[in-house]
Amino acid sequence: MTLIVQKYGGTSVGSPERIRAVAERVKAWRAQGHDLVVVVSAMSGETNRLLALAKELAAEPDPRELDQMVSTGEQVTIALLAIALHEIGVPARSYTGAQVAVKTDAAYGKARIEAIDDARMRADLAAGRVVIVAGFQGIDGEGNITTLGRGGSDTTGVALAAALKADECQIYTDVDGVYTTDPRVVPQARRLHKITFEEMLEMASLGSKVLQIRSVEFAGKYNVPLRVLSSFSEGGAGTLITLETEDDMEKPVISGIAFNRDEAKVTVRGVPDTPGIAYRILGPVGEANIEIDMIVQNVGADGLTDFTFTVNRPDYRKVMSVLERIAHDIGAREVSGDDKIAKVSLVGVGMRSHAGVAAKMFETLARESINIQMISTSEIKISVVVQEKYMELAVRALHTAFDLDAAV
Ligand code: ADP
Ligand code: ASP
Ligand code: MG
């Protein structure tokens, strides 16, 4: 007997018909002799709808109440799926995160799972029931409802699979696997049969929202076999996310391309090039709870230097006001910003053993006359910041240049 955790995303449960289709799929897996725990998201659009309601009442709603409210989307789908399963003769019970004790810290809106109590789920499975759990939500030490951040049902799925030592965690979505890049942007993108946790983590961190970052972290940490599959088609193998066993040399140099429009860039010009200047700029930014991504400090000239960094786009105004406030104190000549940028990144473990990837990337972008504004590299990725309007062109050109296009 194997235990499988399946997670169905918003579009996969977006209507009663879709929920019925999920119920049929669950029934079929169960008929093959598997124990099943099923995690579901809110119906597509529901989480956005709920958040918009709260924003009509307050610009910055209280985080506790926001979680209390937005977690209801998933509570609807768990019960609907249980009802659909009962209709086709499958015993099932639904639970909220709190009911199966998905315990988290108290960071509303981005809570981290700390522990999961599997007793109740085990008892149901032993009694032959399918267990349905609301994704995206948990409960903190004081009994408050928390949520795990957008896309957090993936993390619920993987965390349950880890806690239950499931044989596989299957993430069902509206694409049939992880592709070389978002297939909605590049129709020639190819499905990957396999990708390493390490690469998937980079892809997710750099903007590929097919899996929430934390779900990949969890899967890597607890070595949960993770597969991305389509809930709209039958029988595909999807994409397996694994620890790599093959030799890196055998791998393609680049496995995928990620991109992210959710960024903005700010520059502090003409600050004194003295020890501690980075701290004096970034300290107040950190204190304002603004996350920083890429950072570039120019080589100083005449004792002055320029300092550029990127932040999440929703933090753009906030970071500009922090910098304008401290500009005088730190002796900056000018503060400027641009929220029409995008980050494009190449990811691949093959980069470790191949030189010239950066050169080829820059050459490809040059040929398209796309100016590179910032560059950052690590062992298995290279990211560039470009003007937002060139993002899709950059992704397509790189996809072709690095031989990622599907054969026609
Ligand atoms: P769900 O609601 O099932 O959680 P998401 O919208 O969160 O689904 O994730 C699936 C979407 O991720 C796809 O529709 C696709 O547009 C997008 N996506 C982005 N990058 C990739 C990629 N590299 N491979 C596959 N899908 C990707
Ligand atoms: N419903 C939540 C969201 O839209 C969680 C999820 O779908 O994974 O972000
Ligand atoms: Mg998702």
Side-chain angles (χ1 to χ4, degrees), residues 7 9-10 41 150-154 171-173 209-212:
K7 175 262 171 177
S41 294
R150 297 308 303 267
S153 297
D154 296 335
I171 305 285
Y172 285 92
T173 182
K209 295 198 172 106
V210 59
L211 286 174
Q212 199 200 30

Side-chain angles (χ1 to χ4, degrees), residues 4 9 23 26 60 86 94-95 182 196-197 201-202 210 224 238 249 253 277 307-308 316 345 356 373 394:
I4 296 178
V26 169
E60 293 204 21
H86 298 162
S94 72
Y95 296 103
D182 190 338
T196 63
F197 287 120
L201 192 59
E202 286 285 5
V210 59
V224 176
M249 295 297 285
V253 182
I277 189 65
F307 200 89
T308 302
Y316 179 60
S345 311
Q373 303 183 2

Side-chain angles (χ1 to χ4, degrees), residues 7-12 41-42 44 151 153-154 171-185 189-190 192 200 203 207-212 228 256-259:
K7 175 262 171 177
Y8 292 90
T11 32
S12 302
S41 294
S44 55
S153 297
D154 296 335
I171 305 285
Y172 285 92
T173 182
D174 54 7
V175 277
D176 64 350
V178 177
Y179 277 67
T180 47
T181 192
D182 190 338
R184 286 193 217 197
V185 171
R190 247 187 311 119
L192 299 164
M200 192 63 237
M203 289 282 282
S208 298
K209 295 198 172 106
V210 59
L211 286 174
Q212 199 200 30
V228 176
I257 303 179
F259 51 83

Side-chain angles (χ1 to χ4, degrees), residues 48 101 123 315 389:
N48 287 342
D315 287 334
K389 66 178 177 190

Side-chain angles (χ1 to χ4, degrees), residues 1 5 34 45 56 78 82 88 140 148 191 199 201 205 207 218 221 223 243 262 264 271 300 315 337 359 368 395:
M1 192 78 138
V5 175
H34 304 290
E56 278 188 37
I78 51 168
I88 54 173
D140 74 4
L148 311 179
R191 179 169 60 84
E199 289 169 309
L201 192 59
S205 313
F218 239 102
K221 187 164 165 200
N223 201 8
L243 289 168
D262 193 30
V271 282
D315 287 334
E368 300 292 341
V395 174

